[in-house]
Each structure stands twice: as structure tokens, then as C-alpha cells.
């Protein structure tokens, strides 16, 4: 299974690609590409790993992922029968190496800077979605103009980063396959007790080598990463299954100790699981 680098089917003579994905499951293998990605999630929800951070995405989200940032969408297949995502792919030099250096486009500099860690748009979503809805009926010149309008709206919007750390070296195919196997194993079995021995074996490395390898590429230990997956899964269950007691959710998400679950939850979310439930 060749995972990285994931190449967007972009013809050499096209500066911008507009793509609509309609799938039961969005592309759910860890991948990277040189192009910046601006996506509008029309239908669907799930988990999104960008760099070192696990996020949740949902219908109506506007997401920006910078070039060469490893990421994976993990669709919640129980939420909808089909996921629909509209995406624009381009890079800083798509329209010429000096295009975005023009003083008239100086506002775009902040967009490119923030995109290096990925970001989610928190305001002006309706205006941006309205622009996305034009793209399917436009020619290439009109689509480029709409891209610039979308970037302009994003620079005026409140945003939050999708990642706090990005490994600056592009992954090789072998590295991508190894990390994808690790991510997939953790996301499939987070509710089980995973030992360092078995996850190291999954990566085909010794325990010490794997620990160094994972920490260097994510700036955290594997077990920190695993806890974050468990807490994100618990958040979904707390919201979507209000009838379940917190103790049972804790157990089903891989925590053997409710006190440890409560402590880790508060560290990551800033509130207790019970307080989190009352917010929805």
C-alpha cells in the first residue's frame, strides 16, 4: 500500500484544481501533498489528524491544510450514508512565483503563514460557503477569482490552528507507510490496551527506535497520541449518546480507571466530562 506522497491528480498546465468528493468514507489513509488544501465539508463528520493534533470535523466546516502536512480524514460512517467535501488545491507559485508577492495581494501573506499549521475557520462560514457553491458553475478564470475572494474572506475571519507541530521534512514513501500503519492501528484499537511491544512491531522497529522515531515526527509520545484519540472519541460519545454514564464511556474508550480518564479529559478539554456534556 503506497500512501505517501499522495499526489493530487493535477494536470501540469492547471494552476488550480477544484474537486468534489462524494464518498461513504473520505480518503482515510495518512497522506501529504505539496498543494495547499481549502476544503468545505458539505455533508459528513469525523476525526481529522493534522500534523501532531487530532481534531473533529463536521458539516459546514471550512478547513485549510498547508502543503506537505501529513493528514488523514476519518469519517464517522454512522453519522451519514455519504460524505461530501468540496476542495481547492493550489500552491504559492501556482500563478507564478511573483504573483502573491504583489503589494495588492499582501493580505494573503497571513493566510499562507497560518496555513503552515493548518487552520479551521470559525467565522464568516456562510460567506465562504456561498463562494464555494459558485465554483461548480464557473470556468477556470472565474474559479481563480473566486479562490482569491475565499482567501480574502479567510484573512478577515476568526480561525484556530489545526496543529501545533509540523515535521518539516517531507515523508518518504516508506515513512508514510509506517506512520499510516501506526495511525490506523491506534484509531482502530484505541479502545483496547495497546502495548509498546505491539505498536513497535506494527512499525517494524525496536521499542527504543520506535519511541525516538514517533517523538521526532509528532513532538509527542505514542501514548500521548493514543490518549488524545481516546478523549476525542469520548467527546463524540458524550454528545451523541447522552444516555450513557460517563463511567461506561470511559471504559469503552480504553480507560481502565475513571479517575485517570477525568484527569486526562480536563487536561485536554479544560473541563470535566460532565461539564462538557452540559455544553451541548
Amino acid at each position: 500500500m503506497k500512501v505517501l506522497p499522495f499526489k493530487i491528480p493535477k494536470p501540469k498546465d492547471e494552476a488550480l484544481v477544484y474537486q468534489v468528493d462524494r464518498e461513504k468514507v473520505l480518503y482515510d489513509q495518512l497522506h501529504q501533498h505539496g498543494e495547499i488544501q481549502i476544503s468545505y465539508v458539505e455533508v459528513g463528520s469525523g476525526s481529522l489528524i493534522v500534523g501532531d493534533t487530532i481534531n473533529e470535523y463536521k458539516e459546514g466546516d471550512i478547513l485549510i491544510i498547508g502543503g506537505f502536512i501529513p493528514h488523514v480524514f476519518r469519517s464517522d460512517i454512522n453519522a451519514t450514508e455519504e460524505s461530501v467535501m468540496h476542495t481547492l488545491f493550489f500552491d504559492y507559485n501556482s500563478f507564478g512565483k511573483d504573483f502573491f508577492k504583489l503589494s495588492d495581494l499582501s493580505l494573503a501573506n497571513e493566510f499562507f503563514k497560518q496555513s503552515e499549521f493548518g487552520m479551521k475557520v470559525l467565522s464568516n462560514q456562510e460567506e465562504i460557503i456561498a463562494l464555494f457553491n459558485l465554483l461548480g458553475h464557473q470556468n477556470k478564470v472565474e474559479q481563480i477569482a473566486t479562490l482569491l475572494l475565499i482567501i480574502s474572506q479567510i484573512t478577515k475571519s476568526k480561525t484556530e490552528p489545526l496543529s501545533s507541530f509540523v515535521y518539516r521534512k517531507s515523508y518518504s514513501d516508506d515513512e508514510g507507510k509506517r506512520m499510516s500503519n501506526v495511525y490506523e492501528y491506534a484509531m482502530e484499537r484505541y479502545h483496547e490496551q495497546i502495548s509498546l511491544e505491539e505498536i513497535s512491531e506494527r512499525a517494524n522497529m525496536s521499542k527504543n527506535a520506535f519511541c525516538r522515531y514517533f517523538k521526532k515526527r509528532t513532538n509527542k509520545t505514542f501514548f500521548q497520541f493514543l490518549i488524545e484519540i481516546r478523549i476525542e472519541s469520548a467527546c463524540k460519545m458524550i454528545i451523541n449518546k447522552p444516555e450513557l454514564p460517563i463511567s461506561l464511556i470511559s471504559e469503552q474508550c480504553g480507560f481502565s480507571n475513571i479517575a485517570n480518564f477525568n484527569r486526562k479529559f480536563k487536561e485536554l478539554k479544560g473541563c470535566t466530562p460532565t461539564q462538557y456534556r452540559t455544553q451541548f
Side-chain angles (χ1 to χ4, degrees):
M1 179 178 66
K2 186 175 181 179
V3 178
L4 296 174
F6 176 73
K7 296 295 186 183
I8 299 301
K10 175 181 170 183
K12 290 184 179 180
D13 59 347
E14 287 193 24
L16 175 68
V17 170
Y18 169 59
Q19 178 175 304
V20 181
D21 293 297
R22 298 179 182 274
E23 305 287 346
K24 183 173 179 60
V25 176
L26 296 175
Y27 195 83
D28 62 350
Q29 295 175 355
L30 185 72
H31 63 285
Q32 66 181 15
H33 40 75
E35 293 80 11
I36 295 170
Q37 170 177 345
I38 305 178
S39 293
Y40 153 50
V41 181
E42 181 181 359
V43 180
S45 62
S47 299
L48 168 64
I49 299 177
V50 179
D52 69 328
T53 306
I54 301 164
N55 307 270
E56 185 178 351
Y57 74 88
K58 62 185 183 306
E59 184 176 311
D61 277 351
I62 310 294
L63 307 166
I64 298 94
I65 300 172
F68 296 109
I69 301 179
H71 59 283
V72 57
F73 286 86
R74 190 81 174 183
S75 302
D76 183 354
I77 59 175
N78 297 316
T80 58
E81 293 185 1
E82 181 183 59
S83 292
V84 182
M85 186 167 71
H86 302 247
T87 301
L88 287 164
F89 295 102
F90 67 102
D91 62 42
Y92 186 82
N93 297 316
S94 282
F95 313 114
K97 64 179 182 179
D98 295 322
F99 182 76
F100 283 109
K101 293 179 182 178
L102 294 170
S103 60
D104 294 345
L105 297 173
S106 59
L107 284 176
N109 291 335
E110 187 63 23
F111 166 83
F112 287 107
K113 182 180 179 181
Q114 290 181 314
S115 71
E116 292 179 4
F117 289 89
M119 56 179 160
K120 177 187 286 189
V121 177
L122 302 179
S123 64
N124 299 325
Q125 293 98 326
E126 290 184 3
E127 291 84 350
I128 297 172
I129 290 170
L131 290 168
F132 262 100
N133 288 335
L134 298 174
L135 290 165
H137 310 287
Q138 293 180 327
N139 60 38
K140 285 294 181 180
V141 173
E142 292 168 333
Q143 287 182 345
I144 292 171
T146 298
L147 167 66
L148 295 178
L149 289 172
I150 288 173
I151 291 175
S152 177
Q153 282 291 342
I154 292 171
T155 62
K156 294 185 289 186
S157 302
K158 183 180 179 181
T159 63
E160 66 178 10
L162 291 175
S163 179
S164 59
F165 174 84
V166 175
Y167 182 60
R168 291 300 179 184
K169 294 182 180 179
S170 181
Y171 281 21
S172 67
D173 289 349
D174 287 342
E175 283 184 303
K177 185 185 296 185
R178 175 177 286 131
M179 289 297 285
S180 183
N181 286 340
V182 170
Y183 279 29
E184 183 179 3
Y185 194 84
M187 296 183 80
E188 289 283 352
R189 299 173 180 249
Y190 67 87
H191 55 283
E192 303 174 7
Q193 297 305 308
I194 301 176
S195 68
L196 180 57
E197 287 80 5
E198 62 183 297
I199 196 62
S200 300
E201 183 178 338
R202 182 75 176 182
N204 197 28
M205 302 176 79
S206 70
K207 290 186 291 184
N208 288 338
F210 171 75
C211 289
R212 291 192 301 270
Y213 179 87
F214 193 90
K215 182 70 179 287
K216 183 177 180 180
R217 283 154 182 78
T218 64
N219 201 37
K220 62 183 63 174
T221 70
F222 170 76
F223 291 104
Q224 286 176 305
F225 175 74
L226 180 61
I227 286 171
E228 290 175 14
I229 292 176
R230 288 170 171 168
I231 294 299
E232 286 300 322
S233 299
C235 287
K236 291 180 184 178
M237 292 184 70
I238 288 170
I239 296 169
N240 298 326
K241 298 184 178 181
E243 74 282 0
L244 290 184
I246 298 297
S247 58
L248 182 57
I249 291 174
S250 167
E251 182 181 335
Q252 291 186 357
C253 289
F255 288 91
S256 56
N257 183 299
I258 184 65
N260 184 45
F261 170 68
N262 287 331
R263 183 171 60 255
K264 294 299 183 183
F265 193 101
K266 190 167 185 179
E267 285 178 9
L268 291 171
K269 296 299 177 180
C271 63
T272 67
T274 302
Q275 290 169 336
Y276 186 83
R277 174 169 274 170
T278 61
Q279 297 174 16
F280 298 91

